[in-house]
Amino acid sequence: MEGVRVALHPLTFVEEGEDVVIGRADIDSFAVFPADAAAVVGWLRDGATIAEAARRYTAAYGEEADIEDLVDTLDELRFVRRDDEAGPSPDTPRNVPLQRLGTAVFSAPAWVLYAVLVVAAAAVAVRHPQLRPGPSKVFFTPSLLLVELASFLGQFPGIALHESFHVLAGRRLGLPSRLSLGRRLYFVVFQTTLVGLMGVPRRKRVLPVLAGLLADALVASVLILAAEADLLAHGEVTVWGGLALALAFGALMRMAWQCLFFLETDLHHLFAHTLALPDLQELARAYLRERTAWLPRRRRTASAAVSARATDRELAVLRWYVPLLVVGSVLLCVLAATAALPVLVGFATRFHSALSSGSLDHGFWDAAVAALIMFTQFGVAAWIAVRDRLRRAAAARTALSPGKTGHWAG
């Protein structure tokens, strides 16, 4: 091993307290290393042989190190460049599409414009109570079918802008962040992959994670200002101003939803990225199960003690993060009671009024079609949720049952 050198892909080194996060941004592979191990990786990256790195480690730390074992770890993380792999050299500048646009969107003049829009919208909401988005503003027209279609289709541009801001904030830093389409239950959704975010300093991770909330605030502000323009032009809020307020309410609800971090929303990712704990949610849930194992229903599901396998740093985070999960659950109930429930009650009372009128007029058929669409959505969502739960239960039973391969552990 005297003259053996290890060819490494371009790696990022970010200090996280006493540790160092080393990663390969192009494949989004990152790991936390102690400072002494990170120093060895740096020597290998700079061209030192394995033997040279071992001698330097002994001279620096006064003890021997298993450099070959470290190299095996680097290989598992796909940091080691194989003979058949091509890639940019560490000195090659990384050009990311839309980087200039991302820089412009989050430039100082842009922030001034954003601040003006948000402050102006807040002033309008204070000055004109009828322009404050709320659950009642969802029903901007007597047609329940139009309300449903507008609430569903009208949110897609805002959601796309939300995810696009995540992407542009990442591109601004030179990260190859991506926007794609995915599926939750049977709904098509936009989703962002912030590739390489762990490879930038902690303070620079905040904007890419929270950029979507900024987009939602801007959407709500512009819509409130549009409703004011409608009010000034016509002396009252017409159906177009009402539509703007309905969509603004949806944007504000997206912002509130992102604050429910226990559902792995944007705020959760802020904690995970800034604390350099990608598995924070899994750790927190296991820790909570451990702390509630005394409950009858929890005795069988309590996992191996997290406090025994977590690091001191992880335990310090969990002690204040887990109570926040409980607070988040309470906030979800509050949000449901103050926002979602009034909307559902509004639909229910309007459905009952139209369907029990006794006349087969336009209002009856409008409400009938709207009710059919709504209950079909809830029914399909419930069916998929039950089906997935049964599949997971069946997979768990299969994993626990003795098989023919001899992996049964008793």
Side-chain angles (χ1 to χ4, degrees), residues 12-313:
T12 59
F13 292 73
V14 178
E15 293 185 2
E16 292 285 352
E18 298 180 354
D19 299 321
V20 179
V21 177
I22 302 178
R24 181 179 164 190
D26 59 325
I27 62 171
D28 214 26
S29 176
F30 295 88
V32 179
F33 289 81
D36 57 343
V40 175
V41 178
W43 299 335
L44 295 175
R45 176 201 59 185
D46 295 337
T49 65
I50 292 179
E52 289 171 349
R55 286 194 294 268
R56 292 179 66 175
Y57 186 91
T58 302
Y61 299 99
E63 59 184 14
E64 296 183 356
D66 190 348
I67 306 298
E68 294 181 28
D69 182 65
L70 176 61
V71 172
D72 290 339
T73 300
L74 297 177
D75 189 45
E76 292 176 2
L77 293 168
R78 297 173 62 189
F79 291 175
V80 177
R81 181 181 297 176
R82 303 182 187 278
D83 294 337
D84 58 346
E85 285 185 321
S89 66
D91 298 327
T92 302
R94 182 168 49 184
N95 295 318
V96 178
L98 302 180
Q99 188 168 2
R100 289 185 177 180
L101 177 59
T103 301
V105 168
F106 298 103
S107 63
W111 281 107
V112 172
L113 174 61
Y114 301 157
V116 169
L117 286 175
V118 172
V119 171
V124 167
V126 171
R127 189 168 60 250
H128 300 288
Q130 69 270 37
L131 297 181
R132 298 172 187 173
S136 62
K137 297 299 191 296
V138 171
F139 304 97
F140 64 95
T141 174
S143 172
L144 294 177
L145 183 58
L146 286 180
V147 168
E148 281 192 4
L149 292 176
S151 299
F152 178 70
L153 298 177
Q155 297 301 322
F156 276 96
I159 294 172
L161 185 65
H162 174 107
E163 300 299 337
S164 297
F165 263 50
H166 284 306
V167 172
L168 290 174
R171 295 293 177 94
R172 168 178 168 269
L173 298 177
L175 304 178
S177 46
R178 299 188 299 268
L179 177 63
S180 59
L181 292 176
R183 182 181 68 87
R184 291 180 184 174
L185 293 178
Y186 62 95
F187 296 107
V188 176
V189 296
F190 297 95
Q191 54 192 18
T192 304
T193 304
L194 288 169
V195 180
L197 190 60
M198 293 293 292
V200 300
R202 183 182 303 184
R203 61 183 178 81
K204 292 186 177 181
R205 301 173 197 163
V206 175
L207 180 57
V209 175
L210 297 185
L213 281 170
L214 171 63
D216 291 335
L218 294 176
V219 168
S221 299
V222 170
L223 289 170
I224 291 173
L225 294 175
E228 184 195 29
D230 179 63
L231 175 64
L232 295 176
H234 300 94
E236 62 178 357
V237 178
T238 68
V239 66
W240 296 109
L243 174 60
L245 292 176
L247 296 178
F249 175 73
L252 293 176
M253 288 302 97
R254 285 199 302 274
M255 294 181 67
W257 179 264
Q258 297 301 334
C259 294
L260 301 176
F261 51 88
F262 68 101
L263 296 175
E264 300 189 24
T265 55
D266 288 355
L267 198 58
H268 157 71
H269 291 296
L270 176 66
F271 284 124
H273 283 294
T274 55
L275 296 172
L277 291 175
D279 57 347
L280 175 61
Q281 200 74 351
E282 180 181 348
L283 279 172
R285 289 171 178 169
Y287 186 84
L288 185 60
R289 287 195 297 268
E290 175 188 331
R291 288 293 179 267
T292 57
W294 55 271
L295 295 173
R297 293 183 58 189
R298 292 289 188 180
R299 288 174 184 168
R300 291 180 296 173
T301 60
S303 58
V306 177
S307 54
R309 57 188 173 89
T311 65
D312 292 340
R313 177 173 174 272

Side-chain angles (χ1 to χ4, degrees), residues 142-146 148 347-377:
S143 172
L144 294 177
L145 183 58
L146 286 180
E148 281 192 4
F347 271 110
T349 54
R350 286 167 173 80
F351 283 148
H352 180 267
S353 176
L355 297 178
S356 61
S357 63
S359 60
L360 300 180
D361 56 5
H362 174 268
F364 174 88
W365 291 112
D366 178 89
V369 174
L372 178 63
I373 293 175
M374 175 174 289
F375 289 121
T376 299
Q377 288 182 351

Side-chain angles (χ1 to χ4, degrees), residues 320-389:
W320 62 262
Y321 183 77
V322 168
L324 287 182
L325 293 183
V326 179
V327 173
S329 299
V330 174
L331 291 178
L332 176 61
C333 295
V334 172
L335 183 62
T338 58
L341 185 60
V343 173
L344 292 177
V345 171
F347 271 110
T349 54
R350 286 167 173 80
F351 283 148
H352 180 267
S353 176
L355 297 178
S356 61
S357 63
S359 60
L360 300 180
D361 56 5
H362 174 268
F364 174 88
W365 291 112
D366 178 89
V369 174
L372 178 63
I373 293 175
M374 175 174 289
F375 289 121
T376 299
Q377 288 182 351
F378 282 119
V380 172
W383 175 76
I384 292 177
V386 171
R387 183 200 63 182
D388 291 346
R389 185 179 182 87

